[in-house]
Amino acid sequence: MSYRDNIDQQKLLAAFLAEHDVQLSEETLGKLYDFADLVVETKQFGNLISAKDSEKFLSRHIADSLVPYIYIVKEMDALAPAELRRDDRWADMGAGAGCPVFPLAIAMPEIQFYAVEPRHMRVEFMNFVKEKLHLTNMTVVGKRFETSGLTDLDFISCRALSTFENDWERAEHALKKGGRFLTLKSLNSISHLENDPAVNIWKYSLPNEEQDYALVTRGNR
């Protein structure tokens, strides 16, 4: 079943967004559904996701991928509204099959995104998706982040890549002064950061998931 027809999953995603006082246009939601279908149904690039996760891709992976967007809308817009962020540059390390970078690029067309991933089949898949969804604000970089040549970035993100410390060490040198690093983790994996004044922890839960999660951010001063 296409996610455009999967009403149960659409309702779970809608409830998650409503919980955080965020609304997306029908056009944006449609592209998110199309992205989900491409990840779940496209087979020529290998198995991109488990059968179990494919049944809850909107409520688990799309919702999780949109957390940095929700954070920016809620926490950062007062300081830097969308029109002032136009042409910001955002890189996602270890982009894999495109989460969170593709949902973020769909939700924030004013920002230029770079999906950085060294594995050839994943790179081929993301280029395929970029063309299918006509994402002009997306560049797929088929390299390790350390050799990508990307510098002076406004945002760098990653999702469940490594430890926070390792991820930050990889990202720090490529952030501009005042830039921000954002990473999505399980809450129990970052409990040791609770009292670290250099980081901000934004806790959240996902629909029908038992564990809790956290968006951890750190600015480059």
Side-chain angles (χ1 to χ4, degrees):
M1 176 191 294
S2 168
Y3 276 104
R4 283 186 177 269
D5 302 317
N6 192 327
I7 303 302
D8 290 341
Q9 278 286 292
Q10 289 180 23
K11 286 181 177 178
L12 287 173
L13 178 60
F16 176 77
L17 294 172
E19 176 187 346
H20 296 286
D21 300 318
V22 169
Q23 289 186 325
L24 297 175
S25 69
E26 289 301 317
E27 179 182 2
T28 297
L29 288 170
K31 278 196 172 185
L32 291 172
Y33 303 155
D34 290 343
F35 170 68
D37 284 340
L38 289 169
V39 173
V40 171
E41 296 176 3
T42 304
K43 303 302 182 186
Q44 65 261 40
F45 302 100
N47 292 323
L48 301 169
I49 191 169
S50 70
K52 181 179 179 181
D53 276 354
S54 69
E55 297 174 358
K56 54 181 181 178
F57 196 80
L58 288 186
S59 63
R60 172 67 179 90
H61 296 282
I62 297 293
D64 198 38
S65 294
L66 290 172
V67 166
Y69 169 73
I70 294 169
Y71 169 79
I72 287 172
V73 169
K74 292 173 69 76
E75 305 294 332
M76 295 182 66
D77 261 4
L79 300 175
E83 61 268 20
L84 298 182
R85 294 198 311 270
R86 191 167 299 279
D87 300 324
D88 276 1
R89 299 167 67 243
W90 184 317
D92 188 59
M93 303 190 302
C99 287
V101 66
F102 274 81
L104 292 174
I106 291 168
M108 294 185 284
E110 72 277 6
I111 292 179
Q112 177 62 48
F113 285 87
Y114 300 88
V116 187
E117 168 60 52
R119 290 173 291 178
H120 177 71
M121 293 294 279
R122 297 295 192 266
V123 170
E124 290 293 306
F125 172 71
M126 287 191 290
N127 276 317
F128 170 75
V129 173
K130 172 188 171 180
E131 296 302 318
K132 284 284 187 181
L133 299 183
H134 308 292
L135 293 179
T136 58
N137 64 326
M138 172 66 70
T139 300
V140 179
V141 181
K143 295 183 178 181
R144 290 181 56 82
F145 184 73
E146 293 86 342
T147 61
S148 67
L150 293 169
T151 60
D152 204 35
L153 294 160
D154 299 278
F155 299 95
I156 298 174
S157 62
C158 62
R159 180 175 183 242
L161 190 58
S162 181
T163 65
F164 174 82
E165 291 78 7
N166 286 344
D167 295 340
W168 168 250
E169 184 177 355
R170 294 176 68 191
E172 182 181 9
H173 75 280
L175 278 172
K176 71 189 324 181
K177 186 175 181 180
R180 187 165 292 270
F181 172 62
L182 310 94
T183 182
L184 298 160
K185 305 287 189 188
S186 64
L187 184 58
N188 60 14
S189 73
I190 54 88
S191 58
H192 64 288
L193 298 173
E194 291 274 5
N195 297 315
D196 187 339
V199 305
N200 180 63
I201 298 174
W202 198 62
K203 302 174 184 178
Y204 63 97
S205 58
L206 294 171
N208 296 340
E209 296 293 323
E210 294 183 0
Q211 68 173 317
D212 292 319
Y213 300 88
L215 173 70
V216 187
T217 70
R218 179 169 178 173
N220 191 25
R221 300 175 180 176

